[in-house]
Amino acid sequence: MSKQTRDYVVLLGTKGGPSSRPGSSKPTSNLYVLDGQPIVVDCGLGVTHSLVGQGMHLRDLSLIFITHLHADHYLELGPLIHTAWTSGRKELIDIYGPAGLAAYWANFVEAMRADIDLRITDDGRMDIRDLVRIHAVDAGEVLTRGDLQVRALRTQHPPMTDCFAYSFRTPRSHVVCSGDTAPLPALVEFARGADLLVHEAMLVEALPALMAKLGDTGGKLKARLLRVHSPAQDAAAIAAEAGVGALAFSHLIPSNDPAFTEAHWRDAARGIYDGPLHIGHDGLRIDL
């Protein structure tokens, strides 16, 4: 990608949770293009096809960040790398995320051993096991690559503890993604003055209908969602206090319920955050 490309973010998959039903949006994945560098953030189901749909050549894939090890955030990580490999990628791909990613990758290549060994022998490809370098993330400084600086913040998403928000900063752009989290006051300073905050969001008023659809008669799932995710109003309040230039709601709970439209999401933020507000849908591009 050209260094002259305007910085932008694409919300490739915007659905909270790993399930898939007719007409549903895709689970979480994102493409950030900062100073010409394509960065993939989370790899939910559908990420490979979505990246190609944005015109990205998979041979350009070099940098991936995973927020946490819930399936809707990393289920397609292995297949994405494998497809990049078969599409001509020969240079290292750096993956940053929770320590458990190393075990995931080892098990993925073992599961695909028959295919991988055959392609190395028959196609003359490099060994895919030499293509990937995994970096276990902790809070604080994560990466400096040229003008790109990345920091991580632990979020509140129990029972997980290795769950991270990320800040991506270059001299001309600053983007923060919340990852999955309950309302987190520490995000205010972490996102201070960012050009864009991509924050998970939940419509509390829509939960009764969602629970009825999912058969949560005992209320256990609803209680968990309220404990580990952020109502849209709280996400808006964090954006307002942090003074961000724009806010995007993503990882939507619920998504694709025709009874709850974009107007409901905007109403949730009204009077709390009055800056530019993007309601996530698959393929939404936000120019910075």
Side-chain angles (χ1 to χ4, degrees):
M1 293 188 176
S2 167
K3 287 286 186 178
Q4 301 306 311
T5 301
R6 183 175 180 179
D7 292 352
Y8 62 93
V9 166
V10 184
L11 307 181
L12 301 172
T14 54
K15 177 185 180 297
S19 64
S20 184
R21 299 177 180 84
S24 71
S25 50
K26 297 182 182 69
T28 305
S29 61
N30 306 273
L31 172 64
Y32 296 179
V33 179
L34 304 177
D35 198 24
Q37 167 75 63
I39 304 165
V40 176
V41 183
D42 281 334
C43 294
L45 192 65
V47 62
T48 305
H49 187 264
S50 295
L51 287 169
V52 173
Q54 290 296 321
M56 179 177 172
H57 294 288
L58 295 182
R59 64 176 179 267
D60 294 333
L61 181 69
S62 67
L63 196 53
I64 300 172
F65 289 83
I66 302 297
T67 58
H68 66 295
L69 300 186
H70 270 152
D72 51 324
H73 296 261
Y74 80 116
L75 184 64
E76 201 171 302
L77 174 61
L80 171 60
I81 296 166
H82 187 283
T83 309
W85 177 60
T86 59
S87 300
R89 180 69 187 179
K90 297 179 180 178
E91 290 79 32
L92 273 173
I93 299 173
D94 286 297
I95 305 171
Y96 292 82
L101 284 174
Y104 166 90
W105 176 245
N107 286 315
F108 174 82
V109 294
E110 180 59 29
M112 295 295 295
R113 175 189 288 274
D115 174 271
I116 290 168
D117 289 349
L118 190 66
R119 292 183 189 279
I120 292 170
T121 301
D122 284 9
D123 299 351
R125 296 185 185 278
M126 68 173 292
D127 194 327
I128 194 174
R129 288 159 285 228
D130 298 329
L131 187 66
V132 169
R133 183 166 53 193
I134 293 177
H135 309 262
V137 167
D138 204 344
E141 299 290 342
V142 172
L143 168 69
T144 298
R145 178 184 288 190
D147 288 334
L148 173 66
Q149 294 181 318
V150 184
R151 292 178 54 83
L153 173 73
R154 286 186 184 274
T155 65
Q156 186 176 335
H157 194 53
M160 288 192 166
T161 55
D162 283 347
C163 189
F164 299 98
Y166 289 113
S167 163
F168 301 89
R169 188 190 293 271
T170 71
R172 66 183 185 184
S173 297
H174 182 200
V175 181
V176 172
C177 69
S178 71
D180 281 12
T181 186
L184 186 66
L187 261 173
V188 171
E189 195 56 42
F190 190 71
R192 178 77 63 192
D195 299 297
L196 174 67
L197 171 62
V198 180
H199 202 297
E200 70 135 86
M202 178 171 60
L203 271 181
V204 175
E205 66 195 274
L207 290 184
L210 179 61
M211 296 305 101
K213 184 184 300 184
L214 297 177
D216 181 45
T217 55
K220 184 174 182 179
L221 176 58
K222 181 180 178 181
R224 186 182 74 80
L225 292 177
L226 291 169
R227 187 172 69 252
V228 303
H229 290 292
S230 292
Q233 292 88 341
D234 292 278
I238 286 167
E241 193 172 348
V244 302
L247 170 64
F249 285 159
S250 193
H251 193 276
L252 302 180
I253 302 174
S255 64
N256 309 114
D257 185 337
F260 296 94
T261 66
E262 180 172 322
H264 291 86
W265 293 100
R266 293 194 177 279
D267 285 346
R270 198 178 313 279
I272 302 172
Y273 177 76
D274 296 321
L277 174 62
H278 306 274
I279 310 303
H281 61 79
D282 293 3
L284 175 64
R285 172 171 165 155
I286 304 169
D287 289 313
L288 302 175

